[in-house]
Amino acid sequence: MVNVLIAPSILSCNFLELGREIKEIDEAGCDLIHVDVMDGHFVPNITVGPMIVDFIRNITEKPLDCHLMVERPYRLVKDFIKAGSDIITVHVESDAHILRTIDMIKGEGKKAGVTLNPGTSLHSVEEILPYVDVLLIMTVNPGFGGQPFIPSMYDKIKKAKDMIEKVNRKVHLEVDGGIKVSNAKKVVLSGADILVMGTEIFGSKNYKQKITEVRNSVGE
């Protein structure tokens, strides 16, 4: 049985009640807290910076999974590490020297991840996989929450899992975008072991009940 990790994305939370929202998903039994960082250039939206990560770090011990959807992410890596990030994931599309950035993250004792947009080929990460801890597959075009899962991404997840199995080390396969109770099992059967979920969790009335529903749906 796959040990599936649930990572609520705070992109969909009520930011007027951020502290309460973080505490509630923590107590509801999430495994990670996913922080979407957007700069208004790499994606058409602007979200949070290191100061918010520092705030979250002070109210939860859950690992903070920071997804940098920004241009030239190497400029910000050390700020997010200092703020308390545990995992930092960067896009292959936004960093011309991504191995250098991965080394920077791992050199600070943190886990490094690499992310692919839906239209980016898996071949772009084939040489990188031996050096990362997480491969994140976007199953929507990044920038906004609440988008529907792109069906052709199931096959991409399967191919990503096949690539990971050829690497002689543990690499998590994380999937982000349009995941709901109704499709979580198919995403996991395709190979994912970390599920990023925003509106499905934060749009529910009971976070613990929703996370339990997700775990039950994937057979945990």
PDB file of all heavy atoms in Angstrom, residues 37-45 67-73 75 90-95 115-117 120 138 142-143:
ATOM      1  N   VAL A  37       3.905  30.079  -4.188  1.00  0.00           N
ATOM      2  CA  VAL A  37       4.554  31.385  -4.259  1.00  0.00           C
ATOM      3  C   VAL A  37       4.546  31.843  -5.722  1.00  0.00           C
ATOM      4  O   VAL A  37       5.158  31.209  -6.579  1.00  0.00           O
ATOM      5  CB  VAL A  37       6.001  31.313  -3.729  1.00  0.00           C
ATOM      6  CG1 VAL A  37       6.675  32.676  -3.836  1.00  0.00           C
ATOM      7  CG2 VAL A  37       6.020  30.806  -2.290  1.00  0.00           C
ATOM      8  N   MET A  38       3.842  32.941  -6.003  1.00  0.00           N
ATOM      9  CA  MET A  38       3.693  33.437  -7.374  1.00  0.00           C
ATOM     10  C   MET A  38       4.156  34.884  -7.461  1.00  0.00           C
ATOM     11  O   MET A  38       3.868  35.680  -6.563  1.00  0.00           O
ATOM     12  CB  MET A  38       2.242  33.320  -7.833  1.00  0.00           C
ATOM     13  CG  MET A  38       1.656  31.921  -7.701  1.00  0.00           C
ATOM     14  SD  MET A  38      -0.067  31.876  -8.233  1.00  0.00           S
ATOM     15  CE  MET A  38      -0.504  30.191  -7.804  1.00  0.00           C
ATOM     16  N   ASP A  39       4.836  35.209  -8.562  1.00  0.00           N
ATOM     17  CA  ASP A  39       5.465  36.525  -8.660  1.00  0.00           C
ATOM     18  C   ASP A  39       4.815  37.478  -9.664  1.00  0.00           C
ATOM     19  O   ASP A  39       5.272  38.604  -9.844  1.00  0.00           O
ATOM     20  CB  ASP A  39       6.943  36.374  -8.995  1.00  0.00           C
ATOM     21  CG  ASP A  39       7.192  35.760 -10.380  1.00  0.00           C
ATOM     22  OD1 ASP A  39       6.208  35.342 -11.043  1.00  0.00           O
ATOM     23  OD2 ASP A  39       8.363  35.698 -10.797  1.00  0.00           O
ATOM     24  N   GLY A  40       3.761  37.050 -10.355  1.00  0.00           N
ATOM     25  CA  GLY A  40       3.117  37.907 -11.338  1.00  0.00           C
ATOM     26  C   GLY A  40       3.865  37.981 -12.659  1.00  0.00           C
ATOM     27  O   GLY A  40       3.450  38.709 -13.568  1.00  0.00           O
ATOM     28  N   HIS A  41       4.965  37.244 -12.797  1.00  0.00           N
ATOM     29  CA  HIS A  41       5.740  37.218 -14.042  1.00  0.00           C
ATOM     30  C   HIS A  41       5.746  35.810 -14.645  1.00  0.00           C
ATOM     31  O   HIS A  41       5.316  35.612 -15.776  1.00  0.00           O
ATOM     32  CB  HIS A  41       7.183  37.678 -13.785  1.00  0.00           C
ATOM     33  CG  HIS A  41       7.288  39.100 -13.369  1.00  0.00           C
ATOM     34  ND1 HIS A  41       7.192  40.144 -14.263  1.00  0.00           N
ATOM     35  CD2 HIS A  41       7.473  39.668 -12.147  1.00  0.00           C
ATOM     36  CE1 HIS A  41       7.310  41.294 -13.617  1.00  0.00           C
ATOM     37  NE2 HIS A  41       7.476  41.038 -12.326  1.00  0.00           N
ATOM     38  N   PHE A  42       6.220  34.842 -13.863  1.00  0.00           N
ATOM     39  CA  PHE A  42       6.221  33.468 -14.358  1.00  0.00           C
ATOM     40  C   PHE A  42       4.794  32.955 -14.494  1.00  0.00           C
ATOM     41  O   PHE A  42       4.472  32.189 -15.394  1.00  0.00           O
ATOM     42  CB  PHE A  42       7.027  32.574 -13.405  1.00  0.00           C
ATOM     43  CG  PHE A  42       7.101  31.149 -13.847  1.00  0.00           C
ATOM     44  CD1 PHE A  42       7.769  30.799 -15.015  1.00  0.00           C
ATOM     45  CD2 PHE A  42       6.496  30.139 -13.109  1.00  0.00           C
ATOM     46  CE1 PHE A  42       7.828  29.487 -15.441  1.00  0.00           C
ATOM     47  CE2 PHE A  42       6.547  28.822 -13.522  1.00  0.00           C
ATOM     48  CZ  PHE A  42       7.216  28.488 -14.694  1.00  0.00           C
ATOM     49  N   VAL A  43       3.921  33.373 -13.571  1.00  0.00           N
ATOM     50  CA  VAL A  43       2.485  33.075 -13.649  1.00  0.00           C
ATOM     51  C   VAL A  43       1.708  34.378 -13.450  1.00  0.00           C
ATOM     52  O   VAL A  43       2.214  35.306 -12.827  1.00  0.00           O
ATOM     53  CB  VAL A  43       2.060  32.034 -12.581  1.00  0.00           C
ATOM     54  CG1 VAL A  43       2.678  30.684 -12.872  1.00  0.00           C
ATOM     55  CG2 VAL A  43       2.442  32.489 -11.177  1.00  0.00           C
ATOM     56  N   PRO A  44       0.483  34.445 -13.965  1.00  0.00           N
ATOM     57  CA  PRO A  44      -0.288  35.700 -13.897  1.00  0.00           C
ATOM     58  C   PRO A  44      -1.006  35.890 -12.575  1.00  0.00           C
ATOM     59  O   PRO A  44      -2.218  36.082 -12.521  1.00  0.00           O
ATOM     60  CB  PRO A  44      -1.280  35.546 -15.054  1.00  0.00           C
ATOM     61  CG  PRO A  44      -1.516  34.070 -15.125  1.00  0.00           C
ATOM     62  CD  PRO A  44      -0.196  33.430 -14.795  1.00  0.00           C
ATOM     63  N   ASN A  45      -0.278  35.820 -11.497  1.00  0.00           N
ATOM     64  CA  ASN A  45      -0.871  36.030 -10.179  1.00  0.00           C
ATOM     65  C   ASN A  45       0.258  36.361  -9.208  1.00  0.00           C
ATOM     66  O   ASN A  45       1.421  36.033  -9.464  1.00  0.00           O
ATOM     67  CB  ASN A  45      -1.614  34.772  -9.714  1.00  0.00           C
ATOM     68  CG  ASN A  45      -2.605  35.063  -8.596  1.00  0.00           C
ATOM     69  OD1 ASN A  45      -2.747  36.194  -8.142  1.00  0.00           O
ATOM     70  ND2 ASN A  45      -3.309  34.026  -8.156  1.00  0.00           N
ATOM     71  N   HIS A  67       6.334  25.939  -3.134  1.00  0.00           N
ATOM     72  CA  HIS A  67       6.368  25.780  -4.584  1.00  0.00           C
ATOM     73  C   HIS A  67       6.594  27.160  -5.212  1.00  0.00           C
ATOM     74  O   HIS A  67       5.693  28.000  -5.222  1.00  0.00           O
ATOM     75  CB  HIS A  67       5.027  25.167  -5.031  1.00  0.00           C
ATOM     76  CG  HIS A  67       4.861  25.039  -6.495  1.00  0.00           C
ATOM     77  ND1 HIS A  67       3.636  24.740  -7.068  1.00  0.00           N
ATOM     78  CD2 HIS A  67       5.744  25.141  -7.531  1.00  0.00           C
ATOM     79  CE1 HIS A  67       3.770  24.686  -8.378  1.00  0.00           C
ATOM     80  NE2 HIS A  67       5.035  24.937  -8.680  1.00  0.00           N
ATOM     81  N   LEU A  68       7.819  27.391  -5.684  1.00  0.00           N
ATOM     82  CA  LEU A  68       8.181  28.704  -6.217  1.00  0.00           C
ATOM     83  C   LEU A  68       7.828  28.802  -7.702  1.00  0.00           C
ATOM     84  O   LEU A  68       8.539  28.289  -8.565  1.00  0.00           O
ATOM     85  CB  LEU A  68       9.675  28.967  -6.023  1.00  0.00           C
ATOM     86  CG  LEU A  68      10.220  28.872  -4.593  1.00  0.00           C
ATOM     87  CD1 LEU A  68      11.663  29.386  -4.540  1.00  0.00           C
ATOM     88  CD2 LEU A  68       9.347  29.631  -3.603  1.00  0.00           C
ATOM     89  N   MET A  69       6.735  29.483  -7.988  1.00  0.00           N
ATOM     90  CA  MET A  69       6.323  29.763  -9.366  1.00  0.00           C
ATOM     91  C   MET A  69       6.782  31.176  -9.700  1.00  0.00           C
ATOM     92  O   MET A  69       5.990  32.112  -9.801  1.00  0.00           O
ATOM     93  CB  MET A  69       4.806  29.606  -9.503  1.00  0.00           C
ATOM     94  CG  MET A  69       4.360  28.160  -9.458  1.00  0.00           C
ATOM     95  SD  MET A  69       2.568  27.971  -9.341  1.00  0.00           S
ATOM     96  CE  MET A  69       2.384  28.020  -7.550  1.00  0.00           C
ATOM     97  N   VAL A  70       8.094  31.318  -9.827  1.00  0.00           N
ATOM     98  CA  VAL A  70       8.709  32.633  -9.991  1.00  0.00           C
ATOM     99  C   VAL A  70       9.821  32.581 -11.028  1.00  0.00           C
ATOM    100  O   VAL A  70      10.378  31.519 -11.297  1.00  0.00           O
ATOM    101  CB  VAL A  70       9.299  33.125  -8.643  1.00  0.00           C
ATOM    102  CG1 VAL A  70       8.226  33.182  -7.561  1.00  0.00           C
ATOM    103  CG2 VAL A  70      10.451  32.235  -8.187  1.00  0.00           C
ATOM    104  N   GLU A  71      10.131  33.723 -11.596  1.00  0.00           N
ATOM    105  CA  GLU A  71      11.291  33.837 -12.474  1.00  0.00           C
ATOM    106  C   GLU A  71      12.574  33.837 -11.630  1.00  0.00           C
ATOM    107  O   GLU A  71      12.604  34.380 -10.534  1.00  0.00           O
ATOM    108  CB  GLU A  71      11.221  35.138 -13.286  1.00  0.00           C
ATOM    109  CG  GLU A  71      10.060  35.207 -14.278  1.00  0.00           C
ATOM    110  CD  GLU A  71      10.257  34.306 -15.484  1.00  0.00           C
ATOM    111  OE1 GLU A  71      11.356  33.705 -15.613  1.00  0.00           O
ATOM    112  OE2 GLU A  71       9.315  34.190 -16.288  1.00  0.00           O
ATOM    113  N   ARG A  72      13.593  33.195 -12.134  1.00  0.00           N
ATOM    114  CA  ARG A  72      14.902  33.139 -11.477  1.00  0.00           C
ATOM    115  C   ARG A  72      14.779  32.792  -9.977  1.00  0.00           C
ATOM    116  O   ARG A  72      15.148  33.580  -9.115  1.00  0.00           O
ATOM    117  CB  ARG A  72      15.637  34.464 -11.668  1.00  0.00           C
ATOM    118  CG  ARG A  72      15.987  34.753 -13.137  1.00  0.00           C
ATOM    119  CD  ARG A  72      16.623  36.112 -13.294  1.00  0.00           C
ATOM    120  NE  ARG A  72      15.660  37.176 -13.036  1.00  0.00           N
ATOM    121  CZ  ARG A  72      15.978  38.417 -12.700  1.00  0.00           C
ATOM    122  NH1 ARG A  72      17.259  38.771 -12.588  1.00  0.00           N
ATOM    123  NH2 ARG A  72      15.055  39.316 -12.483  1.00  0.00           N
ATOM    124  N   PRO A  73      14.257  31.609  -9.673  1.00  0.00           N
ATOM    125  CA  PRO A  73      13.988  31.243  -8.278  1.00  0.00           C
ATOM    126  C   PRO A  73      15.216  31.236  -7.378  1.00  0.00           C
ATOM    127  O   PRO A  73      15.084  31.404  -6.162  1.00  0.00           O
ATOM    128  CB  PRO A  73      13.379  29.843  -8.405  1.00  0.00           C
ATOM    129  CG  PRO A  73      13.852  29.327  -9.720  1.00  0.00           C
ATOM    130  CD  PRO A  73      13.912  30.524 -10.604  1.00  0.00           C
ATOM    131  N   ARG A  75      17.193  33.426  -6.776  1.00  0.00           N
ATOM    132  CA  ARG A  75      17.295  34.693  -6.048  1.00  0.00           C
ATOM    133  C   ARG A  75      16.579  34.643  -4.695  1.00  0.00           C
ATOM    134  O   ARG A  75      16.901  35.393  -3.783  1.00  0.00           O
ATOM    135  CB  ARG A  75      16.675  35.834  -6.868  1.00  0.00           C
ATOM    136  CG  ARG A  75      17.330  36.115  -8.206  1.00  0.00           C
ATOM    137  CD  ARG A  75      16.482  37.089  -9.004  1.00  0.00           C
ATOM    138  NE  ARG A  75      15.156  36.566  -9.249  1.00  0.00           N
ATOM    139  CZ  ARG A  75      14.023  37.250  -9.088  1.00  0.00           C
ATOM    140  NH1 ARG A  75      14.051  38.507  -8.677  1.00  0.00           N
ATOM    141  NH2 ARG A  75      12.849  36.687  -9.342  1.00  0.00           N
ATOM    142  N   VAL A  90      11.192  24.127  -7.535  1.00  0.00           N
ATOM    143  CA  VAL A  90      11.363  25.164  -8.550  1.00  0.00           C
ATOM    144  C   VAL A  90      11.025  24.595  -9.931  1.00  0.00           C
ATOM    145  O   VAL A  90      11.146  23.395 -10.163  1.00  0.00           O
ATOM    146  CB  VAL A  90      12.797  25.739  -8.540  1.00  0.00           C
ATOM    147  CG1 VAL A  90      13.083  26.420  -7.214  1.00  0.00           C
ATOM    148  CG2 VAL A  90      13.829  24.660  -8.794  1.00  0.00           C
ATOM    149  N   HIS A  91      10.626  25.468 -10.823  1.00  0.00           N
ATOM    150  CA  HIS A  91      10.226  25.060 -12.176  1.00  0.00           C
ATOM    151  C   HIS A  91      11.424  24.963 -13.111  1.00  0.00           C
ATOM    152  O   HIS A  91      12.269  25.861 -13.139  1.00  0.00           O
ATOM    153  CB  HIS A  91       9.226  26.062 -12.752  1.00  0.00           C
ATOM    154  CG  HIS A  91       7.822  25.822 -12.309  1.00  0.00           C
ATOM    155  ND1 HIS A  91       6.892  25.228 -13.129  1.00  0.00           N
ATOM    156  CD2 HIS A  91       7.205  26.082 -11.140  1.00  0.00           C
ATOM    157  CE1 HIS A  91       5.743  25.139 -12.481  1.00  0.00           C
ATOM    158  NE2 HIS A  91       5.906  25.655 -11.269  1.00  0.00           N
ATOM    159  N   VAL A  92      11.454  23.891 -13.894  1.00  0.00           N
ATOM    160  CA  VAL A  92      12.514  23.766 -14.904  1.00  0.00           C
ATOM    161  C   VAL A  92      12.406  24.884 -15.935  1.00  0.00           C
ATOM    162  O   VAL A  92      13.406  25.297 -16.533  1.00  0.00           O
ATOM    163  CB  VAL A  92      12.487  22.399 -15.617  1.00  0.00           C
ATOM    164  CG1 VAL A  92      12.823  21.284 -14.664  1.00  0.00           C
ATOM    165  CG2 VAL A  92      11.151  22.134 -16.293  1.00  0.00           C
ATOM    166  N   GLU A  93      11.182  25.386 -16.160  1.00  0.00           N
ATOM    167  CA  GLU A  93      10.968  26.410 -17.183  1.00  0.00           C
ATOM    168  C   GLU A  93      11.521  27.775 -16.782  1.00  0.00           C
ATOM    169  O   GLU A  93      11.696  28.647 -17.645  1.00  0.00           O
ATOM    170  CB  GLU A  93       9.464  26.563 -17.483  1.00  0.00           C
ATOM    171  CG  GLU A  93       8.772  25.291 -17.914  1.00  0.00           C
ATOM    172  CD  GLU A  93       8.152  24.535 -16.738  1.00  0.00           C
ATOM    173  OE1 GLU A  93       8.438  24.897 -15.567  1.00  0.00           O
ATOM    174  OE2 GLU A  93       7.398  23.586 -16.993  1.00  0.00           O
ATOM    175  N   SER A  94      11.785  27.969 -15.489  1.00  0.00           N
ATOM    176  CA  SER A  94      12.142  29.315 -15.020  1.00  0.00           C
ATOM    177  C   SER A  94      13.589  29.444 -14.554  1.00  0.00           C
ATOM    178  O   SER A  94      13.985  30.507 -14.086  1.00  0.00           O
ATOM    179  CB  SER A  94      11.218  29.720 -13.859  1.00  0.00           C
ATOM    180  OG  SER A  94      11.475  28.924 -12.720  1.00  0.00           O
ATOM    181  N   ASP A  95      14.379  28.360 -14.692  1.00  0.00           N
ATOM    182  CA  ASP A  95      15.743  28.392 -14.160  1.00  0.00           C
ATOM    183  C   ASP A  95      16.695  27.731 -15.146  1.00  0.00           C
ATOM    184  O   ASP A  95      16.661  26.515 -15.349  1.00  0.00           O
ATOM    185  CB  ASP A  95      15.786  27.667 -12.808  1.00  0.00           C
ATOM    186  CG  ASP A  95      17.040  27.976 -12.011  1.00  0.00           C
ATOM    187  OD1 ASP A  95      18.099  28.187 -12.624  1.00  0.00           O
ATOM    188  OD2 ASP A  95      16.961  27.992 -10.765  1.00  0.00           O
ATOM    189  N   THR A 115       9.679  21.071 -10.724  1.00  0.00           N
ATOM    190  CA  THR A 115       8.289  21.110 -11.175  1.00  0.00           C
ATOM    191  C   THR A 115       8.190  21.248 -12.686  1.00  0.00           C
ATOM    192  O   THR A 115       8.991  21.946 -13.313  1.00  0.00           O
ATOM    193  CB  THR A 115       7.559  22.308 -10.540  1.00  0.00           C
ATOM    194  OG1 THR A 115       7.811  22.336  -9.142  1.00  0.00           O
ATOM    195  CG2 THR A 115       6.061  22.223 -10.770  1.00  0.00           C
ATOM    196  N   LEU A 116       7.138  20.602 -13.241  1.00  0.00           N
ATOM    197  CA  LEU A 116       6.858  20.693 -14.670  1.00  0.00           C
ATOM    198  C   LEU A 116       5.450  21.224 -14.908  1.00  0.00           C
ATOM    199  O   LEU A 116       4.481  20.718 -14.322  1.00  0.00           O
ATOM    200  CB  LEU A 116       6.951  19.310 -15.324  1.00  0.00           C
ATOM    201  CG  LEU A 116       8.307  18.618 -15.383  1.00  0.00           C
ATOM    202  CD1 LEU A 116       8.143  17.238 -15.979  1.00  0.00           C
ATOM    203  CD2 LEU A 116       9.269  19.432 -16.222  1.00  0.00           C
ATOM    204  N   ASN A 117       5.311  22.211 -15.784  1.00  0.00           N
ATOM    205  CA  ASN A 117       4.005  22.642 -16.244  1.00  0.00           C
ATOM    206  C   ASN A 117       3.389  21.554 -17.122  1.00  0.00           C
ATOM    207  O   ASN A 117       4.106  20.694 -17.647  1.00  0.00           O
ATOM    208  CB  ASN A 117       4.126  23.940 -17.042  1.00  0.00           C
ATOM    209  CG  ASN A 117       4.326  25.152 -16.161  1.00  0.00           C
ATOM    210  OD1 ASN A 117       3.961  25.150 -14.991  1.00  0.00           O
ATOM    211  ND2 ASN A 117       4.927  26.187 -16.715  1.00  0.00           N
ATOM    212  N   THR A 120       5.124  20.870 -20.499  1.00  0.00           N
ATOM    213  CA  THR A 120       6.571  20.645 -20.511  1.00  0.00           C
ATOM    214  C   THR A 120       6.871  19.151 -20.489  1.00  0.00           C
ATOM    215  O   THR A 120       6.327  18.405 -19.672  1.00  0.00           O
ATOM    216  CB  THR A 120       7.238  21.317 -19.295  1.00  0.00           C
ATOM    217  OG1 THR A 120       6.934  22.718 -19.316  1.00  0.00           O
ATOM    218  CG2 THR A 120       8.745  21.144 -19.336  1.00  0.00           C
ATOM    219  N   MET A 138       2.445  19.388 -12.532  1.00  0.00           N
ATOM    220  CA  MET A 138       1.273  20.259 -12.542  1.00  0.00           C
ATOM    221  C   MET A 138       0.224  19.673 -13.479  1.00  0.00           C
ATOM    222  O   MET A 138       0.517  19.364 -14.636  1.00  0.00           O
ATOM    223  CB  MET A 138       1.654  21.670 -13.004  1.00  0.00           C
ATOM    224  CG  MET A 138       2.563  22.440 -12.063  1.00  0.00           C
ATOM    225  SD  MET A 138       1.836  22.689 -10.419  1.00  0.00           S
ATOM    226  CE  MET A 138       0.336  23.596 -10.824  1.00  0.00           C
ATOM    227  N   PRO A 142      -0.450  26.576 -14.044  1.00  0.00           N
ATOM    228  CA  PRO A 142      -0.326  27.241 -12.748  1.00  0.00           C
ATOM    229  C   PRO A 142      -0.702  28.718 -12.791  1.00  0.00           C
ATOM    230  O   PRO A 142      -0.600  29.375 -13.820  1.00  0.00           O
ATOM    231  CB  PRO A 142       1.162  27.069 -12.413  1.00  0.00           C
ATOM    232  CG  PRO A 142       1.840  26.919 -13.730  1.00  0.00           C
ATOM    233  CD  PRO A 142       0.858  26.180 -14.600  1.00  0.00           C
ATOM    234  N   GLY A 143      -1.156  29.194 -11.636  1.00  0.00           N
ATOM    235  CA  GLY A 143      -1.493  30.608 -11.505  1.00  0.00           C
ATOM    236  C   GLY A 143      -2.739  30.854 -10.688  1.00  0.00           C
ATOM    237  O   GLY A 143      -2.831  31.842  -9.971  1.00  0.00           O
TER     238      GLY A 143
END
